[in-house]
Amino acid sequence: MSGVRLDKWLWAARFFKTRALAKKAIEGGKVHYNGGRAKTSKTVEVGALIRVPQGWDTWEVEVVALSEQRRGAPEARELYQETAESQARRSKEAESRRQANQAMQHPLKRPDKKQRREIKRFMRGE
């Protein structure tokens, strides 16, 4: 296979649930191909670096194989290899998010009627 459209490859590699979502991300400038913005119809080649947002994380992957068909997750993971810098960055960011969530103190109970009134007054600026 000589080349596959970028939106098809992202869909086949299971970065996006549908090709429409992949297309929307590419057109929105979220996906970068070899360091620059790309069009949906860009032909993906083996060895290319693709940067893809996934929720809170951003994956930076190198294309290892091409496929137009969406298969199971284990086979989809064989289409790309994540760079070492990307893995380190994602794990560091996940750890910082985990620590931030632990540091945040959650209320023990819901506010009662008096406390809700005080909150509303505070929000209105009284």
Side-chain angles (χ1 to χ4, degrees), residues 56-117:
W56 296 101
D57 299 323
T58 302
W59 290 66
E60 190 171 305
V61 297
E62 181 181 353
V63 178
V64 176
L66 302 177
S67 176
E68 284 187 341
Q69 295 180 334
R70 187 175 173 100
R71 302 201 183 255
E75 293 177 39
R77 279 192 289 272
E78 294 174 1
L79 297 178
Y80 61 89
Q81 182 177 5
E82 187 176 11
T83 62
E85 302 89 40
S86 175
Q87 286 177 340
R89 184 180 59 245
R90 284 190 325 107
S91 64
K92 181 179 154 191
E93 289 173 357
E95 182 61 31
S96 67
R97 283 194 305 269
R98 195 173 306 114
Q99 288 178 354
N101 284 339
Q102 288 176 350
M104 191 171 19
Q105 195 174 28
H106 298 285
L108 299 174
K109 62 178 185 168
R110 293 174 57 181
D112 59 14
K113 191 168 187 175
K114 182 180 178 184
Q115 291 169 335
R116 283 196 309 268
R117 286 178 180 160

Side-chain angles (χ1 to χ4, degrees), residues 25-54:
I26 294 167
E27 289 174 348
K30 306 280 190 252
V31 177
H32 294 269
Y33 184 85
N34 283 337
R37 289 179 65 170
K39 291 188 177 181
T40 308
S41 61
K42 174 73 176 164
T43 304
V44 177
E45 299 165 347
V46 174
L49 283 173
I50 300 177
R51 189 170 216 173
V52 184
Q54 283 284 295

